[in-house]
Amino acid sequence: NLCIGEARAAEQMGAQIFEQSRVIDIQYTDRPVVKTEKGQITADKVILCGNAYMGDLVPRLDDRVLPSTSVIIATEPLSKEQVAQCMVKDVAVCDSRTALDYYRLSADKRLLFGGLSNYTGLEPANAEEVMRSKMAKVFPALRNVRIDYKWAGNMAISVRRMPQIGRIKNSNVLYVTGYSGHGVAPTHMAGRILAEAVDGDSYRFDLMNKMFHLPWPGGKLLRRPAMAVGMMWYKMLDAI
């Protein structure tokens, strides 16, 4: 698991990780103060990287990303014959549609199949059934395989579908958000840019910070319905 592996590597290099420590407020000063429900920390610099899980902690960021739920299913381990029928090469794949599907094989030869962008912020009750149907359209030979696992998570969608990197209120609070479903590669690049900025080399960070990040039109009340209607249009075009 990439996330767990990188967390272990960070701890081996001296980082401390405190889970279940929800931040409830931030003071934007030269030495920012981060308040949690059980205490507070004063830091030289703070990096906000909660992506779709920031909530309304920072209104400036909240109105510039739209959380979207994506679902992944994992099949039972496939036989060599089944693998040969669906994945000639062991690579990660996504299609070219606006509302795309993505899939790859796991180390134990399960097919991981994801998609189903949902802009309500809620996981559909029939998510496994829908994902199985989508998988069967791409890989008919796997129509009857067992589904062993299903999970869902939120992506932060930005208007331009590009990561947003910047600084809050000219303070020492930096942020990155809005990976728009393509986070595995860009997160590592963004991490390097932010690390450079914290270490005193802000050249690449300053370039990204100059970009204007558009807020979602419609505000909290209308942005989700507007996005859902827009995606219905593009899904119709995908189907043509």
Side-chain angles (χ1 to χ4, degrees), residues 68-115:
S68 169
T69 303
S70 188
V71 180
I72 299 178
I73 56 175
T75 68
E76 62 184 310
L78 303 179
S79 66
K80 290 183 179 180
E81 292 75 17
Q82 288 172 317
V83 169
Q85 287 178 310
C86 65
M87 297 291 285
V88 177
K89 294 184 178 181
D90 191 1
V91 295
V93 180
C94 69
D95 60 46
S96 60
R97 297 174 302 158
T98 302
L100 55 81
D101 296 326
Y102 51 93
Y103 39 89
R104 68 175 178 87
L105 292 171
S106 65
D108 58 352
K109 302 306 179 185
R110 302 174 187 271
L111 182 69
L112 309 182
F113 194 96

Side-chain angles (χ1 to χ4, degrees), residues 68-73 116 118-128 131 150-154:
S68 169
T69 303
S70 188
V71 180
I72 299 178
I73 56 175
L116 193 62
N118 180 356
Y119 295 92
T120 66
L122 302 173
E123 179 184 342
N126 61 339
E128 182 175 327
M131 291 307 300
K150 172 188 68 71
W151 64 93
N154 286 338

